[in-house]
Amino acid sequence: MILLSFEENVNVISRFDNEQFKVEILEHKKLNGTDDVSLGDTLYFAQKSGITLKQVRITMKNSSLTTETGALQFMKGQLEMESKLGGVGGLAKKMLTSALTDETITRPVYKGSGEIHLEPSFGHFIILKLNNEEVVVDQGIFYCCDSKLDVSVIRQKNLVTGLIGGEGLFQTKVSGTGFLVVKVPVPEIEIKKEVLNGETLQVDGSFALLRKGKVEFTIQKSSKSLIGSFTSGEGLLQTFKGTGEVWLAPTLPAYNDIYLEDTDQDADDSPGKLSWIRRLLDIFS
């Protein structure tokens, strides 16, 4: 089959509609290469292992969209972009927050009617529909949302939780009613959504992506004494307690191990190039 157009070369793998928005997650069926033939091996093994390029397309009708800074690729229609700094005091506060959180000073807001394409990625996008709810996401996971949602930065309750917990001192909180698109490092099928009903969930590692509802995040020792925690081999555990939902990516540490093994090899050692792709192909074939 010969593909003749952009639309023929994409699948809509996820979609959300209401009166003001049509949100689509596009999957490019095939990348046919550029004028750089050296990319051929990479594209071949990526496609064989099921790695595809994805993109968020949003059609707006008299509405307002908030995105992560730098997410826009192109837009068409009666649309305008604005960034509210809130005056000198607001600017100073945002600059201080940005310096402390490694977050950008402000996120752009697009208003009007038209179509927006956001930057494509080999990562994975998920659409969440919030109904008077609250979601806290790890750094780098927020991608875009209905501007009716409130997007803010929250600080971990203590220094130990932020630095040792692996989640950072600050995270992004999104609350209200509307849609939210998150960018996650693994496919949704590899995300385990743990529902908590006044229970406690403890995680050894940094692979919790987000939490919904009234869930408190702390760091706790895996045994009664700090020495016991380290000698047990488990150390300190990310602890989630309350009522809500926690998204875990149990396969993420394995991907990180593959990446670290590959980067440890000499960059000029040609047999080691693409080893992570080949290894994934072996695993999933």
Side-chain angles (χ1 to χ4, degrees):
M1 178 181 177
I2 300 176
L3 300 176
L4 301 177
S5 70
F6 178 91
E7 295 298 333
E8 291 177 317
N9 193 42
V10 297
N11 290 322
V12 178
I13 58 176
S14 183
R15 178 172 174 166
F16 166 79
D17 288 276
N18 62 19
E19 294 180 354
Q20 295 181 307
F21 290 99
K22 180 171 71 174
V23 184
E24 299 169 293
I25 309 300
L26 308 180
E27 178 185 57
H28 294 264
K29 297 176 183 177
K30 183 179 181 181
L31 295 179
N32 293 283
T34 67
D35 57 357
D36 185 353
V37 296
S38 66
L39 295 176
D41 282 350
T42 304
L43 291 176
Y44 174 80
F45 285 108
Q47 289 168 1
K48 282 293 184 180
S49 58
I51 298 173
T52 58
L53 189 68
K54 302 164 197 72
Q55 189 164 21
V56 179
R57 177 170 65 190
I58 300 172
T59 305
M60 303 168 54
K61 182 179 179 181
N62 297 321
S63 51
S64 179
L65 175 76
T66 301
T67 74
E68 186 57 273
T69 299
L72 176 69
Q73 187 178 52
F74 65 92
M75 62 183 183
K76 178 184 71 174
Q78 302 300 314
L79 294 165
E80 59 182 32
M81 188 270 285
E82 65 179 32
S83 295
K84 294 183 178 180
L85 296 177
V88 176
L91 175 59
K93 182 178 179 180
K94 287 179 181 292
M95 289 180 67
L96 178 60
T97 301
S98 176
L100 293 173
T101 65
D102 197 28
E103 294 279 344
T104 50
I105 292 178
T106 186
R107 292 183 171 94
V109 175
Y110 301 90
K111 294 184 176 181
S113 299
E115 185 177 281
I116 292 179
H117 281 71
L118 301 183
E119 286 284 352
S121 171
F122 287 102
H124 307 273
F125 299 102
I126 300 175
I127 305 171
L128 289 82
K129 296 176 280 290
L130 305 186
N131 183 17
N132 194 28
E133 296 176 274
E134 177 181 298
V135 175
V136 177
V137 302
D138 204 359
Q139 288 187 3
I141 288 182
F142 173 86
Y143 203 60
C144 69
C145 71
D146 184 337
S147 293
K148 292 178 182 177
L149 292 172
D150 179 64
V151 183
S152 60
V153 175
I154 62 170
R155 183 177 64 85
Q156 303 293 2
K157 290 186 176 180
N158 59 67
L159 185 63
V160 173
T161 297
L163 294 181
I164 300 180
E167 302 299 312
L169 287 175
F170 297 86
Q171 292 179 303
T172 300
K173 181 175 75 173
V174 183
S175 56
T177 299
F179 78 88
L180 163 68
V181 178
V182 294
K183 180 180 177 182
V184 294
V186 299
E188 186 170 6
I189 196 173
E190 296 180 22
I191 295 176
K192 184 167 178 55
K193 301 173 183 179
E194 290 284 358
V195 177
L196 303 182
N197 292 301
E199 300 164 293
T200 298
L201 170 69
Q202 292 189 300
V203 178
D204 181 20
S206 298
F207 53 90
L209 305 178
L210 65 82
R211 59 187 186 271
K212 297 172 61 178
K214 302 301 181 181
V215 177
E216 182 181 358
F217 170 59
T218 59
I219 296 297
Q220 293 186 8
K221 296 175 291 184
S222 61
S223 65
K224 293 184 178 180
S225 70
L226 184 60
I227 294 177
S229 295
F230 286 109
T231 57
S232 70
E234 298 301 316
L236 302 173
L237 301 177
Q238 292 188 357
T239 301
F240 302 88
K241 186 175 182 179
T243 300
E245 191 172 270
V246 180
W247 287 19
L248 303 177
T251 59
L252 184 58
Y255 289 119
N256 290 338
D257 288 344
I258 293 171
Y259 173 77
L260 291 174
E261 285 181 22
D262 187 61
T263 54
D264 283 342
Q265 297 185 39
D266 190 336
D268 294 328
D269 182 11
S270 57
K273 292 179 180 178
L274 306 175
S275 63
W276 67 275
I277 297 178
R278 293 192 178 99
R279 202 167 289 123
L280 284 178
L281 186 57
D282 290 338
I283 292 172
F284 295 108
S285 61

mmCIF file of all heavy atoms in Angstrom, residues 29-53 122 274 276-277:
data_model
loop_
_atom_site.group_PDB
_atom_site.id
_atom_site.type_symbol
_atom_site.label_atom_id
_atom_site.label_comp_id
_atom_site.label_asym_id
_atom_site.label_seq_id
_atom_site.Cartn_x
_atom_site.Cartn_y
_atom_site.Cartn_z
ATOM 1 N N LYS A 29 2.489 6.136 11.391
ATOM 2 C CA LYS A 29 2.640 4.713 11.073
ATOM 3 C C LYS A 29 4.076 4.363 10.694
ATOM 4 O O LYS A 29 4.589 3.320 11.085
ATOM 5 C CB LYS A 29 1.712 4.341 9.917
ATOM 6 C CG LYS A 29 0.229 4.500 10.220
ATOM 7 C CD LYS A 29 -0.606 4.191 8.983
ATOM 8 C CE LYS A 29 -2.080 4.417 9.232
ATOM 9 N NZ LYS A 29 -2.890 4.182 8.001
ATOM 10 N N LYS A 30 4.703 5.241 9.932
ATOM 11 C CA LYS A 30 6.039 4.929 9.447
ATOM 12 C C LYS A 30 6.827 6.202 9.224
ATOM 13 O O LYS A 30 6.299 7.200 8.733
ATOM 14 C CB LYS A 30 5.949 4.133 8.131
ATOM 15 C CG LYS A 30 7.296 3.694 7.585
ATOM 16 C CD LYS A 30 7.134 2.886 6.303
ATOM 17 C CE LYS A 30 8.500 2.437 5.771
ATOM 18 N NZ LYS A 30 8.377 1.672 4.509
ATOM 19 N N LEU A 31 8.094 6.174 9.609
ATOM 20 C CA LEU A 31 9.019 7.252 9.272
ATOM 21 C C LEU A 31 9.844 6.776 8.076
ATOM 22 O O LEU A 31 10.530 5.760 8.162
ATOM 23 C CB LEU A 31 9.920 7.579 10.454
ATOM 24 C CG LEU A 31 9.222 8.147 11.696
ATOM 25 C CD1 LEU A 31 10.231 8.405 12.800
ATOM 26 C CD2 LEU A 31 8.475 9.424 11.351
ATOM 27 N N ASN A 32 9.765 7.492 6.983
ATOM 28 C CA ASN A 32 10.376 7.047 5.732
ATOM 29 C C ASN A 32 11.789 7.576 5.529
ATOM 30 O O ASN A 32 12.406 7.303 4.508
ATOM 31 C CB ASN A 32 9.493 7.460 4.548
ATOM 32 C CG ASN A 32 8.171 6.717 4.556
ATOM 33 O OD1 ASN A 32 8.093 5.560 4.194
ATOM 34 N ND2 ASN A 32 7.125 7.391 5.005
ATOM 35 N N GLY A 33 12.305 8.312 6.517
ATOM 36 C CA GLY A 33 13.695 8.751 6.444
ATOM 37 C C GLY A 33 13.855 10.148 5.885
ATOM 38 O O GLY A 33 12.961 10.709 5.262
ATOM 39 N N THR A 34 15.037 10.721 6.149
ATOM 40 C CA THR A 34 15.384 12.045 5.633
ATOM 41 C C THR A 34 16.499 11.880 4.612
ATOM 42 O O THR A 34 16.762 10.779 4.124
ATOM 43 C CB THR A 34 15.864 12.954 6.780
ATOM 44 O OG1 THR A 34 17.117 12.446 7.276
ATOM 45 C CG2 THR A 34 14.866 12.977 7.916
ATOM 46 N N ASP A 35 17.167 12.987 4.298
ATOM 47 C CA ASP A 35 18.282 12.901 3.358
ATOM 48 C C ASP A 35 19.559 12.395 4.020
ATOM 49 O O ASP A 35 20.598 12.263 3.371
ATOM 50 C CB ASP A 35 18.533 14.263 2.692
ATOM 51 C CG ASP A 35 18.811 15.359 3.712
ATOM 52 O OD1 ASP A 35 18.751 15.064 4.931
ATOM 53 O OD2 ASP A 35 19.069 16.503 3.297
ATOM 54 N N ASP A 36 19.481 12.085 5.327
ATOM 55 C CA ASP A 36 20.629 11.538 6.048
ATOM 56 C C ASP A 36 20.495 10.013 6.101
ATOM 57 O O ASP A 36 19.767 9.458 6.922
ATOM 58 C CB ASP A 36 20.681 12.117 7.463
ATOM 59 C CG ASP A 36 21.925 11.687 8.236
ATOM 60 O OD1 ASP A 36 22.677 10.846 7.727
ATOM 61 O OD2 ASP A 36 22.124 12.190 9.362
ATOM 62 N N VAL A 37 21.200 9.307 5.221
ATOM 63 C CA VAL A 37 21.056 7.858 5.117
ATOM 64 C C VAL A 37 21.607 7.131 6.342
ATOM 65 O O VAL A 37 21.290 5.959 6.566
ATOM 66 C CB VAL A 37 21.755 7.316 3.845
ATOM 67 C CG1 VAL A 37 21.088 7.868 2.599
ATOM 68 C CG2 VAL A 37 23.241 7.658 3.849
ATOM 69 N N SER A 38 22.420 7.817 7.146
ATOM 70 C CA SER A 38 22.985 7.170 8.331
ATOM 71 C C SER A 38 21.918 6.848 9.367
ATOM 72 O O SER A 38 22.156 6.080 10.301
ATOM 73 C CB SER A 38 24.066 8.059 8.957
ATOM 74 O OG SER A 38 23.497 9.250 9.478
ATOM 75 N N LEU A 39 20.711 7.433 9.212
ATOM 76 C CA LEU A 39 19.617 7.157 10.141
ATOM 77 C C LEU A 39 18.902 5.855 9.814
ATOM 78 O O LEU A 39 18.038 5.408 10.572
ATOM 79 C CB LEU A 39 18.594 8.300 10.104
ATOM 80 C CG LEU A 39 19.060 9.675 10.595
ATOM 81 C CD1 LEU A 39 17.956 10.701 10.408
ATOM 82 C CD2 LEU A 39 19.467 9.601 12.062
ATOM 83 N N GLY A 40 19.251 5.234 8.705
ATOM 84 C CA GLY A 40 18.525 4.050 8.252
ATOM 85 C C GLY A 40 18.478 2.932 9.267
ATOM 86 O O GLY A 40 17.409 2.358 9.539
ATOM 87 N N ASP A 41 19.636 2.580 9.858
ATOM 88 C CA ASP A 41 19.669 1.499 10.834
ATOM 89 C C ASP A 41 18.795 1.809 12.046
ATOM 90 O O ASP A 41 18.061 0.949 12.552
ATOM 91 C CB ASP A 41 21.107 1.242 11.299
ATOM 92 C CG ASP A 41 21.912 0.455 10.285
ATOM 93 O OD1 ASP A 41 21.294 -0.040 9.329
ATOM 94 O OD2 ASP A 41 23.129 0.349 10.458
ATOM 95 N N THR A 42 18.897 3.050 12.519
ATOM 96 C CA THR A 42 18.117 3.448 13.692
ATOM 97 C C THR A 42 16.627 3.334 13.422
ATOM 98 O O THR A 42 15.875 2.780 14.229
ATOM 99 C CB THR A 42 18.465 4.892 14.105
ATOM 100 O OG1 THR A 42 19.863 4.994 14.329
ATOM 101 C CG2 THR A 42 17.712 5.291 15.367
ATOM 102 N N LEU A 43 16.175 3.839 12.271
ATOM 103 C CA LEU A 43 14.760 3.776 11.926
ATOM 104 C C LEU A 43 14.301 2.331 11.775
ATOM 105 O O LEU A 43 13.210 1.960 12.221
ATOM 106 C CB LEU A 43 14.490 4.552 10.630
ATOM 107 C CG LEU A 43 14.637 6.070 10.703
ATOM 108 C CD1 LEU A 43 14.443 6.691 9.324
ATOM 109 C CD2 LEU A 43 13.626 6.659 11.682
ATOM 110 N N TYR A 44 15.137 1.511 11.161
ATOM 111 C CA TYR A 44 14.771 0.109 10.930
ATOM 112 C C TYR A 44 14.541 -0.619 12.255
ATOM 113 O O TYR A 44 13.502 -1.266 12.448
ATOM 114 C CB TYR A 44 15.871 -0.591 10.133
ATOM 115 C CG TYR A 44 15.648 -2.083 9.982
ATOM 116 C CD1 TYR A 44 14.758 -2.575 9.031
ATOM 117 C CD2 TYR A 44 16.322 -2.998 10.805
ATOM 118 C CE1 TYR A 44 14.540 -3.941 8.904
ATOM 119 C CE2 TYR A 44 16.113 -4.361 10.681
ATOM 120 C CZ TYR A 44 15.223 -4.828 9.721
ATOM 121 O OH TYR A 44 15.009 -6.172 9.599
ATOM 122 N N PHE A 45 15.490 -0.520 13.178
ATOM 123 C CA PHE A 45 15.355 -1.229 14.441
ATOM 124 C C PHE A 45 14.269 -0.629 15.319
ATOM 125 O O PHE A 45 13.592 -1.352 16.061
ATOM 126 C CB PHE A 45 16.699 -1.265 15.179
ATOM 127 C CG PHE A 45 17.674 -2.235 14.600
ATOM 128 C CD1 PHE A 45 18.775 -1.795 13.889
ATOM 129 C CD2 PHE A 45 17.476 -3.600 14.737
ATOM 130 C CE1 PHE A 45 19.670 -2.696 13.338
ATOM 131 C CE2 PHE A 45 18.370 -4.510 14.195
ATOM 132 C CZ PHE A 45 19.478 -4.062 13.492
ATOM 133 N N ALA A 46 14.080 0.694 15.242
ATOM 134 C CA ALA A 46 13.007 1.328 16.012
ATOM 135 C C ALA A 46 11.650 0.809 15.547
ATOM 136 O O ALA A 46 10.785 0.458 16.366
ATOM 137 C CB ALA A 46 13.078 2.841 15.873
ATOM 138 N N GLN A 47 11.443 0.735 14.233
ATOM 139 C CA GLN A 47 10.161 0.269 13.708
ATOM 140 C C GLN A 47 9.956 -1.215 13.986
ATOM 141 O O GLN A 47 8.852 -1.659 14.300
ATOM 142 C CB GLN A 47 10.082 0.583 12.214
ATOM 143 C CG GLN A 47 9.934 2.078 11.951
ATOM 144 C CD GLN A 47 10.151 2.463 10.492
ATOM 145 O OE1 GLN A 47 10.399 1.616 9.649
ATOM 146 N NE2 GLN A 47 10.056 3.753 10.204
ATOM 147 N N LYS A 48 11.022 -2.015 13.905
ATOM 148 C CA LYS A 48 10.921 -3.443 14.190
ATOM 149 C C LYS A 48 10.557 -3.699 15.651
ATOM 150 O O LYS A 48 9.877 -4.670 15.969
ATOM 151 C CB LYS A 48 12.238 -4.141 13.852
ATOM 152 C CG LYS A 48 12.460 -4.394 12.370
ATOM 153 C CD LYS A 48 11.461 -5.424 11.836
ATOM 154 C CE LYS A 48 11.721 -5.762 10.394
ATOM 155 N NZ LYS A 48 10.748 -6.779 9.876
ATOM 156 N N SER A 49 11.016 -2.838 16.539
ATOM 157 C CA SER A 49 10.726 -3.015 17.965
ATOM 158 C C SER A 49 9.444 -2.306 18.386
ATOM 159 O O SER A 49 9.098 -2.277 19.566
ATOM 160 C CB SER A 49 11.900 -2.510 18.810
ATOM 161 O OG SER A 49 12.161 -1.149 18.543
ATOM 162 N N GLY A 50 8.725 -1.715 17.432
ATOM 163 C CA GLY A 50 7.433 -1.111 17.736
ATOM 164 C C GLY A 50 7.498 0.299 18.268
ATOM 165 O O GLY A 50 6.505 0.813 18.788
ATOM 166 N N ILE A 51 8.654 0.945 18.181
ATOM 167 C CA ILE A 51 8.797 2.324 18.650
ATOM 168 C C ILE A 51 8.271 3.260 17.565
ATOM 169 O O ILE A 51 8.762 3.259 16.433
ATOM 170 C CB ILE A 51 10.261 2.648 18.974
ATOM 171 C CG1 ILE A 51 10.766 1.746 20.101
ATOM 172 C CG2 ILE A 51 10.418 4.116 19.377
ATOM 173 C CD1 ILE A 51 12.247 1.872 20.377
ATOM 174 N N THR A 52 7.251 4.056 17.878
ATOM 175 C CA THR A 52 6.634 4.942 16.892
ATOM 176 C C THR A 52 6.638 6.387 17.379
ATOM 177 O O THR A 52 6.688 6.652 18.576
ATOM 178 C CB THR A 52 5.184 4.518 16.595
ATOM 179 O OG1 THR A 52 4.427 4.530 17.823
ATOM 180 C CG2 THR A 52 5.128 3.124 15.985
ATOM 181 N N LEU A 53 6.551 7.297 16.425
ATOM 182 C CA LEU A 53 6.486 8.723 16.735
ATOM 183 C C LEU A 53 5.033 9.111 16.977
ATOM 184 O O LEU A 53 4.139 8.724 16.219
ATOM 185 C CB LEU A 53 7.057 9.526 15.568
ATOM 186 C CG LEU A 53 7.264 11.024 15.808
ATOM 187 C CD1 LEU A 53 8.379 11.241 16.822
ATOM 188 C CD2 LEU A 53 7.594 11.740 14.498
ATOM 189 N N PHE A 122 8.868 10.371 20.718
ATOM 190 C CA PHE A 122 8.857 8.912 20.788
ATOM 191 C C PHE A 122 8.357 8.429 22.152
ATOM 192 O O PHE A 122 8.292 7.229 22.403
ATOM 193 C CB PHE A 122 10.254 8.349 20.509
ATOM 194 C CG PHE A 122 10.652 8.444 19.062
ATOM 195 C CD1 PHE A 122 11.524 9.431 18.631
ATOM 196 C CD2 PHE A 122 10.143 7.555 18.131
ATOM 197 C CE1 PHE A 122 11.884 9.527 17.295
ATOM 198 C CE2 PHE A 122 10.496 7.638 16.791
ATOM 199 C CZ PHE A 122 11.373 8.626 16.365
ATOM 200 N N LEU A 274 23.226 1.308 18.855
ATOM 201 C CA LEU A 274 21.884 0.762 18.720
ATOM 202 C C LEU A 274 21.662 -0.486 19.564
ATOM 203 O O LEU A 274 20.687 -1.201 19.381
ATOM 204 C CB LEU A 274 21.563 0.432 17.241
ATOM 205 C CG LEU A 274 21.751 1.565 16.231
ATOM 206 C CD1 LEU A 274 21.503 1.041 14.831
ATOM 207 C CD2 LEU A 274 20.820 2.712 16.525
ATOM 208 N N TRP A 276 20.725 -0.828 22.575
ATOM 209 C CA TRP A 276 19.500 -0.780 23.369
ATOM 210 C C TRP A 276 18.290 -1.129 22.517
ATOM 211 O O TRP A 276 17.369 -1.818 22.960
ATOM 212 C CB TRP A 276 19.322 0.598 24.013
ATOM 213 C CG TRP A 276 19.071 1.713 23.058
ATOM 214 C CD1 TRP A 276 20.001 2.447 22.381
ATOM 215 C CD2 TRP A 276 17.812 2.232 22.663
ATOM 216 N NE1 TRP A 276 19.395 3.385 21.589
ATOM 217 C CE2 TRP A 276 18.048 3.279 21.745
ATOM 218 C CE3 TRP A 276 16.492 1.911 22.995
ATOM 219 C CZ2 TRP A 276 17.029 3.998 21.147
ATOM 220 C CZ3 TRP A 276 15.469 2.641 22.400
ATOM 221 C CH2 TRP A 276 15.753 3.665 21.501
ATOM 222 N N ILE A 277 18.299 -0.704 21.247
ATOM 223 C CA ILE A 277 17.184 -1.031 20.356
ATOM 224 C C ILE A 277 17.189 -2.520 20.041
ATOM 225 O O ILE A 277 16.161 -3.189 20.069
ATOM 226 C CB ILE A 277 17.265 -0.203 19.060
ATOM 227 C CG1 ILE A 277 17.141 1.296 19.382
ATOM 228 C CG2 ILE A 277 16.168 -0.610 18.099
ATOM 229 C CD1 ILE A 277 17.257 2.190 18.178
#
